[in-house]
Amino acid sequence: MTMTADTRPRTPHTETRHLSMQQALNLALEHSLAADDRTLIFGEDVGRVGGVFRVTDGLQQKFGAARVFDTPLAESGIMGMAVGLAMAGWRPVPELQFDGFSYPAMNQVISQMARMNNRSRGTMPMPITLRLPSFGGIRAPELHGESLESLFAHVPGLKVVSPSTPNEAYHLLRQAIADPDPVVFMEPKSRYWQRGDVLLPAPSDTESDAATAEHETTTPVGTSNVVREGKHATLISWGAMVSTCLQVAEYAAEDGVELEVLDLRWLKPIDAAGIQASVSKTRRAIVVHEAPLTAGLGGEVSAIIMERCFDALRAPVERVTGFDVPYPSGALEDAYLPNADRILNAVQKTLEYRRG
Amino acid sequence: MAEISFELPDLGEGLVEARVLEWLVSIGDMVTRGEPLVEVETTKSAVELPSPQTGVVVTFHAEEDDLLHVGDTLVTFEVDDEQAGIVGTVPKAEAPERRVRLQLPDD
């Protein structure tokens, strides 16, 4: 599968390493723990076992069980503790083992974590990064493959982000941890093992937040990324679906159709200007996400395009999404997830459209 | 590559120890999850334990006829890093099928 080409300038770096996303996330956590003594990692099996996806592998050995520790199987407790620790000045990075396990923690996430800064008139910021292995594609059992971005993006006070490559994973996770607000960090499970080049800061900077701060000045929170340029239509996506869209763009090129691929990265705040810039140019747009259609973020993106690019549009915005059903068991996953043909069909619809 | 060890599991009914009767695999064997791994005998019965992991067997931590307590290390596997997730399977890194062809409009 094609890997995302990063077209934006990055913070000056001195080392490039070929890593899986899981390894890139592990390194980002290690560097964040080293950069700030207040950073804490906790969750189910993140300590001794190193996480079910091995993202926290070896961190307890390196930083001790006071900073990287296992919790009971109680998601409400994990997120409640994160809120309390943040109030006391810590920088918690809790993990909820699977997206479907976040439901029992919604009260702590929505009623406490998202609101505390506002409720306390800015005296109790919540620099919490909730790591949430997300989306489907790994043939897992029920409640192990949800797609909850629109739920979180709808809650005022939360930021939401999902990386698409190992390089994005490293930089976005460090950016999320350094951010003063609560961030829901949605890791695409099906891409944990996909490898790519990761551009690391100079070794003198890995153990501080300096490079991340500089990165923030060039690529602030809420910046999307054009991962492939094109002129006939824009595929807009995030997380695991970005590499699917890149594959579709390869197929389209065989037919002489040049698709632009926009990786939104941040789902809150959403990069309306980035969407506008791309769609004003290509004049056609297809939004691709794993979550069900109804009230999914595709509707939000579509509305942004309608508000900002109405006169430029040559066809209605298409949405290629999951269906309005509970996420299916592994055997039916391929029928549920957007695939190349479904996306290509939607592209063709926008190409053929004529005003009536 | 990573190594993963497994302990003698709780065999139920309050049994706290078991004797290794026979290893059903050899060092260096590639075993798949669920394949018969070892036969052990408790005070109640002999039971066959399925392998909890897909991987290459690298170490037996007990010889045949050794008595183990629940929680004692039993066996170590070597596994690909990519197999090291506990839930789910790694998606295949192959290009998806495509049948739909595109056609640009004339203008």
Side-chain angles (χ1 to χ4, degrees), chain A residues 159-335:
Chain A
K159 292 174 177 171
V160 184
V161 64
S162 184
S164 60
T165 67
N167 190 52
E168 293 287 311
Y170 177 87
H171 292 282
L172 290 173
L173 183 53
R174 292 214 60 188
Q175 196 170 15
I177 293 173
D179 196 88
D181 294 321
V183 178
V184 180
F185 191 88
M186 302 177 71
E187 301 172 2
K189 299 176 199 96
S190 63
R191 307 296 181 224
Y192 271 139
W193 301 276
Q194 213 174 69
R195 287 173 177 271
D197 284 341
V198 178
L199 284 53
L200 295 172
S204 55
D205 283 344
T206 53
E207 297 197 350
S208 79
D209 283 329
T212 302
E214 196 180 324
H215 177 70
E216 175 68 29
T217 63
T218 56
T219 317
V221 164
T223 310
S224 64
N225 188 20
V226 176
V227 291
R228 180 179 172 120
E229 296 209 27
K231 64 178 181 187
H232 295 120
T234 303
L235 301 179
I236 301 169
S237 198
W238 52 89
M241 282 292 120
V242 172
S243 49
T244 304
C245 288
L246 282 168
Q247 181 65 57
V248 166
E250 288 284 321
Y251 287 148
E254 293 170 8
D255 299 338
V257 175
E258 295 173 36
L259 296 179
E260 183 146 309
V261 180
L262 182 68
D263 176 3
L264 280 187
R265 289 183 178 137
W266 293 89
L267 307 171
K268 178 85 163 283
I270 206 162
D271 188 2
I275 294 169
Q276 179 181 6
S278 177
V279 178
S280 305
K281 181 181 76 172
T282 62
R283 306 180 65 187
R284 297 179 180 93
I286 301 95
V287 195
V288 180
H289 61 65
E290 295 186 33
L293 175 77
T294 301
L297 267 190
E300 182 67 26
V301 174
S302 178
I304 288 170
I305 294 169
M306 194 273 291
E307 288 161 0
R308 290 177 171 244
C309 312
F310 186 75
D311 291 329
L313 281 182
R314 300 186 70 164
V317 176
E318 285 289 321
R319 290 179 287 171
V320 183
T321 69
F323 301 107
D324 285 353
V325 298
Y327 193 87
S329 65
L332 291 171
E333 233 173 22
D334 293 343

Side-chain angles (χ1 to χ4, degrees), chain B residues 2-79:
Chain B
E3 290 199 346
I4 296 185
S5 294
F6 286 94
E7 295 142 8
L8 181 69
D10 184 350
L11 299 164
E13 304 187 68
L15 299 169
V16 294
E17 58 188 22
R19 187 175 300 280
V20 175
L21 284 182
E22 186 186 1
W23 284 101
L24 305 172
V25 296
S26 303
I27 299 290
D29 281 1
M30 175 77 195
V31 299
T32 55
R33 184 175 171 170
E35 198 175 309
L37 181 73
V38 61
E39 192 177 23
V40 299
E41 185 184 43
T42 67
T43 50
K44 290 206 165 183
S45 63
V47 287
E48 210 174 78
L49 301 180
S51 174
Q53 175 73 42
T54 296
V56 175
V57 179
V58 290
T59 313
F60 294 149
H61 296 277
E63 302 288 324
E64 286 171 7
D65 213 33
D66 281 357
L67 193 65
L68 283 178
H69 290 268
V70 169
D72 286 351
T73 306
L74 181 65
V75 62
T76 300
F77 295 94
E78 189 174 72
V79 300

Side-chain angles (χ1 to χ4, degrees), chain A residues 117-128:
Chain A
N117 193 34
N118 181 277
R119 184 185 290 149
S120 67
R121 304 285 92 188
T123 61
M124 284 180 192
M126 293 276 118
I128 298 170

Side-chain angles (χ1 to χ4, degrees), chain A residues 81-158:
Chain A
M81 182 163 61
V83 170
L85 286 166
M87 289 169 83
W90 296 90
R91 190 168 283 273
V93 187
E95 173 184 302
L96 296 180
Q97 200 162 60
F98 284 89
D99 36 15
F101 303 173
S102 64
Y103 300 121
M106 282 301 174
N107 183 46
Q108 282 70 26
V109 170
I110 296 174
S111 323
Q112 310 298 340
M113 181 173 87
R115 289 165 181 258
M116 195 60 75
N117 193 34
N118 181 277
R119 184 185 290 149
S120 67
R121 304 285 92 188
T123 61
M124 284 180 192
M126 293 276 118
I128 298 170
T129 302
L130 162 54
R131 286 189 40 250
L132 195 64
S134 291
F135 315 123
I138 64 162
R139 305 275 189 266
E142 195 193 7
L143 292 170
H144 290 63
E146 309 282 281
S147 196
L148 304 178
E149 62 272 29
S150 65
L151 228 76
F152 291 118
H154 197 61
V155 176
L158 296 183

Side-chain angles (χ1 to χ4, degrees), chain A residues 16-38:
Chain A
T16 301
R17 288 174 66 181
H18 197 67
L19 301 174
S20 66
M21 184 182 287
Q22 158 224 47
Q23 292 168 325
L25 291 165
N26 182 268
L27 203 56
L29 290 172
E30 183 186 329
H31 292 168
S32 292
L33 283 163
D36 188 343
D37 288 342
R38 295 169 303 163

